[in-house]
Amino acid sequence: QVQLVESGGGLVQTGGSLRLSCAASGLIFSINNMGWYRQAPGNQRELVAATTTGGGTNYADSVKGRFTISRDYAKNTVYLQMNGLKPEDTAVYYCKASITTMTRARIDYWGQGTQVTVSS
């Protein structure tokens, strides 16, 4: 079993900052990549930022220059530092991890989601 536990969401004013964390635990052989997605009411879930297997990063155009994704490989944790938050960033943020389990199965896992609300 693998679990992703997210934390760090909340309510913030426009221009404020939040830092999301997502820690993976369980029967993990390796973590291939990790990322953050978000879903606002009435919208599809969309990629916000992700790390790649080669150590690179990808960002949605709407968050470039404001959000930063990082990983702590020793702690199996991914972070999302969000600065300059805007009301349109309001959404439920989900962590996703592509994990190779101890049985060598490669499975995508999702966190439970954490609400981010930006007030104008």
Side-chain angles (χ1 to χ4, degrees):
Q1 295 282 7
V2 173
Q3 284 188 321
L4 300 182
V5 178
E6 303 162 358
S7 61
L11 173 64
V12 66
Q13 292 185 334
T14 296
S17 298
L18 286 173
R19 188 191 193 209
L20 306 183
S21 300
C22 172
S25 63
L27 302 178
I28 297 171
F29 176 74
S30 66
I31 299 178
N32 306 300
N33 49 58
M34 301 183 80
W36 290 94
Y37 291 71
R38 67 187 180 188
Q39 187 168 18
N43 291 353
Q44 290 186 333
R45 192 172 296 188
E46 62 177 3
L47 172 70
V48 177
T51 65
T52 65
T53 305
T57 55
N58 292 322
Y59 293 93
D61 287 343
S62 59
V63 306
K64 284 181 180 177
R66 300 188 297 123
F67 291 8
T68 302
I69 189 170
S70 60
R71 279 182 65 178
D72 184 328
Y73 289 84
K75 296 182 179 180
N76 286 342
T77 299
V78 64
Y79 305 96
L80 185 67
Q81 178 66 43
M82 304 185 293
N83 299 327
L85 282 161
K86 305 175 181 179
E88 51 263 44
D89 295 318
T90 295
V92 178
Y93 284 69
Y94 296 91
C95 172
K96 178 185 175 183
S98 174
I99 291 174
T100 299
T101 68
M102 288 298 190
T103 62
R104 301 303 188 265
R106 183 163 176 165
I107 302 172
D108 288 341
Y109 290 90
W110 290 88
Q112 79 281 5
T114 184
Q115 178 70 46
V116 171
T117 302
V118 184
S119 63
S120 57

